[in-house]
């Protein structure tokens, strides 16, 4: 059995670690590219969600490299994500690809439901071995998320543009190669030392933007057209509403680990929407409220075209913007989105935020002087 899975940011690192720990042969698809997008779009329904199209492209490319089993997440609620696996399975069969698909559905009552599926992939290895494998994959997700947060801080402040990204790519490679929890702990120390070597100007005037939206588009750089890197070049420190380790804890571990979760954002969304709308729509609204409370200069919602939960969130965010006095902007992406158009819009929004910030600071100084 040669197992593959779709790309979603750095998820491949923790999934590969977990499966290798269980002795499973892994075929990591090539990094998502224009070719991936074309393959997925050509073989998907026209109005299918963009993540589904890109995932399908990942599977086709992995098949070309010898994969024969797909490990795919499932879903519940109004979001169409829960239907991806079933639709993709039909398309794959029509294409004549001899794949077996194992769907990891979020546990509704007991985590044993998830463990049973993983045991199927692991060829019935012991529960202890499976739990250790999950823990190792989880630890890699945590280290990768901490790395990303550090890079978000360094990008807009670095003196030599691109230095932080060079360290980022090296660090991801180190995390990927770590073969044990102890080795991973050593790698994290090594990453800390490498990050300290990135020279920064801590007095630089920085704009802070919170990113909210659909998780796949938020986490996958190719699909969101490198929004975090592009904003960093514009002098923006970003913070995402969700990270991979948080998503794993919320949806696969049933929130058992004591860490930041989606509960807070759902609570903050209650004055605007008091029930789930599927996907991360409710979290997008609540996270915008949280970012306003934390003093961020603006919020950008990133979503795939036709995403139902994010369309609902988009219609509510202007009200949040007015109530909480924080500018919001919605960026919709699909297979036709291009770098130039996205960067131009980001530049315009950042310029607006910078002028607004300068005006507010100038007004405050004037008021302080007068009285």
């Amino acid at each position: 059995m040669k197992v593959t899975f779709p790309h979603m940011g750095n998820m491949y690192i923790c999934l590969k670690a977990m499966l290798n720990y269980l002795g499973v042969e892994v075929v990591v698809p090539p990094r998502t590219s224009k070719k991936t997008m074309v393959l997925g779009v050509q073989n998907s329904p026209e109005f299918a969600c963009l993540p589904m199209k890109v995932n399908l492209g990942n599977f086709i490319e992995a098949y070309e490299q010898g994969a024969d089993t797909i490990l795919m997440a499932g879903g519940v609620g109004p979001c169409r994500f829960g239907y991806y696996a079933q639709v993709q399975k039909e398309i794959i069969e029509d294409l004549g690809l001899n794949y077996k698909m194992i769907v990891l559905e979020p546990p509704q009552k007991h985590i044993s439901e998830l463990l049973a599926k993983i045991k199927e992939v692991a060829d019935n290895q012991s529960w202890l071995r499976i739990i250790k494998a999950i823990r190792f994959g989880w630890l890699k997700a945590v280290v990768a998320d901490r790395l990303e947060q550090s890079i978000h801080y360094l990008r807009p402040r670095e003196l030599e543009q691109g230095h932080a990204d060079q360290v980022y790519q090296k660090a991801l490679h180190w995390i990927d190669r770590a073969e044990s929890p102890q080795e991973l702990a050593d790698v994290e120390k090594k990453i800390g030392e490498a990050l300290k070597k990135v020279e920064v100007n801590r007095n630089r005037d920085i704009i802070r933007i919170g990113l909210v939206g659909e998780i796949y588009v938020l986490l996958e750089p190719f699909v969101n057209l490198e929004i975090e890197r592009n904003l960093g070049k514009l002098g923006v420190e970003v913070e995402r509403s969700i990270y991979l380790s948080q998503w794993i804890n919320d949806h696969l571990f049933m929130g058992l680990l004591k860490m930041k979760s989606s509960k807070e954002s759902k609570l903050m969304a209650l004055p605007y929407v008091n029930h789930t709308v599927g996907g991360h729509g409710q979290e997008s609204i609540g996270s915008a409220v949280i970012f306003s409370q934390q003093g961020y200069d603006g919020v950008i919602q990133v979503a795939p075209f036709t995403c139902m939960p994010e369309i609902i969130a988009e219609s509510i965010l202007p009200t949040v913007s007015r109530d909480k006095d924080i500018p919001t902007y919605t960026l919709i992406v699909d297979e036709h989105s291009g770098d130039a158009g996205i960067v131009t819009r980001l530049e315009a929004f950042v310029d607006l935020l910078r002028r607004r910030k300068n005006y507010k600071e100038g007004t405050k100084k004037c008021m302080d002087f007068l009285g």
Side-chain angles (χ1 to χ4, degrees):
M1 180 167 59
K2 298 181 180 180
V3 177
T4 192
F5 38 77
H7 273 296
M8 187 174 75
N10 297 322
M11 183 179 72
Y12 73 96
I13 293 177
C14 59
L15 275 178
K16 178 183 172 185
M18 182 187 78
L19 293 170
N20 281 343
Y21 196 94
L22 293 170
V24 177
E25 186 173 353
V26 176
V27 177
V28 178
R31 289 310 301 249
T32 301
S33 64
K34 190 66 177 178
K35 178 187 175 183
T36 313
M37 181 83 78
V38 170
L39 286 171
V41 170
Q42 284 178 341
N43 294 288
S44 299
E46 181 180 359
F47 289 104
C49 199
L50 180 63
M52 197 206 87
K53 296 176 182 177
V54 180
N55 287 175
L56 182 63
N58 290 146
F59 299 151
I60 294 173
E61 289 187 299
Y63 188 81
E64 293 170 352
Q65 294 190 349
D68 56 28
T69 303
I70 295 171
L71 194 60
M72 181 67 181
V76 295
C79 176
R80 290 176 290 175
F81 179 73
Y83 297 103
Y84 284 7
Q86 287 72 28
V87 176
Q88 289 167 340
K89 186 173 185 295
E90 294 294 328
I91 295 172
I92 286 168
E93 289 176 356
D94 290 343
L95 291 174
L97 307 185
N98 188 22
Y99 259 134
K100 176 184 179 181
M101 182 174 283
I102 299 174
V103 183
L104 300 181
E105 299 284 358
Q108 298 302 298
K109 295 182 180 179
H110 304 289
I111 199 169
S112 58
E113 300 170 10
L114 174 65
L115 293 176
K117 285 286 187 178
I118 295 175
K119 195 163 188 178
E120 179 184 352
V121 178
D123 195 24
N124 291 314
Q125 291 198 42
S126 71
W127 289 113
L128 179 60
R129 184 74 178 175
I130 290 172
I131 291 171
K132 285 184 176 180
I134 294 173
R135 178 177 179 272
F136 186 41
W138 153 260
L139 289 173
K140 285 201 174 187
V142 171
V143 174
D145 285 347
R146 288 174 183 162
L147 168 64
E148 283 192 291
Q149 289 175 316
S150 297
I151 297 299
H152 292 164
Y153 176 84
L154 293 173
R155 275 192 185 121
R157 296 176 172 86
E158 62 185 353
L159 297 180
E160 180 187 344
Q161 192 172 85
H163 190 185
D165 281 314
Q166 291 175 8
V167 174
Y168 178 58
Q169 294 303 323
K170 288 180 182 177
L172 287 179
H173 181 64
W174 296 338
I175 296 170
D176 187 28
R177 292 186 61 184
E179 295 182 354
S180 68
Q182 181 55 54
E183 189 175 339
L184 182 61
D186 294 338
V187 163
E188 189 166 21
K189 293 177 183 177
K190 183 178 178 181
I191 291 172
E193 293 301 316
L195 291 172
K196 289 178 183 177
K197 294 179 181 178
V198 178
E199 296 182 351
V200 297
N201 178 2
R202 299 187 187 279
N203 297 318
R204 185 173 290 171
D205 184 25
I206 299 298
I207 296 295
R208 297 167 70 222
I209 292 179
L211 297 180
V212 304
E214 192 271 334
I215 183 172
Y216 179 84
V217 176
L218 275 181
L219 266 59
E220 181 51 50
F222 177 82
V223 174
N224 65 37
L225 301 167
E226 299 280 359
I227 187 171
E228 293 172 3
R229 184 176 298 174
N230 283 320
L231 285 171
K233 290 179 181 178
L234 296 174
V236 176
E237 179 184 350
V238 302
E239 173 67 350
R240 288 202 307 263
S241 60
I242 190 167
Y243 285 84
L244 180 60
S245 55
Q246 175 193 330
W247 181 83
I248 293 172
N249 185 43
D250 282 348
H251 297 275
L252 300 183
F253 295 168
M254 301 175 67
L256 295 175
L257 301 177
K258 301 300 180 182
M259 60 177 296
K260 179 184 175 183
S261 74
S262 60
K263 292 179 181 178
E264 183 182 2
S265 58
K266 289 178 179 178
L267 182 65
M268 300 305 293
L270 289 178
Y272 301 96
V273 56
N274 59 7
H275 57 85
T276 181
V277 295
H280 294 87
Q282 197 175 19
E283 290 97 315
S284 292
I285 297 164
S287 294
V289 175
I290 293 172
F291 284 133
S292 72
Q293 294 175 340
Q294 294 175 343
Y296 278 74
D297 299 298
V299 170
I300 295 179
Q301 178 196 23
V302 190
F305 182 59
T306 76
C307 177
M308 294 183 290
E310 293 303 325
I311 288 172
I312 295 171
E314 180 187 4
S315 70
I316 297 173
L317 282 174
T319 304
V320 176
S321 174
R322 185 169 56 250
D323 291 350
K324 303 300 179 182
D325 190 31
I326 184 168
T328 62
Y329 176 68
T330 297
L331 184 64
I332 303 294
V333 295
D334 66 6
E335 58 266 31
H336 304 295
S337 299
D339 293 327
I342 297 297
V343 171
T344 300
R345 281 178 273 174
L346 293 177
E347 288 174 340
F349 186 62
V350 171
D351 185 55
L352 179 151
L353 296 181
R354 201 175 295 279
R355 288 171 180 266
R356 183 175 185 269
K357 181 179 180 180
N358 291 339
Y359 174 78
K360 291 176 72 174
E361 289 177 350
T363 301
K364 185 178 183 301
K365 288 179 182 179
C366 183
M367 295 300 291
D368 289 344
F369 176 77
L370 294 174

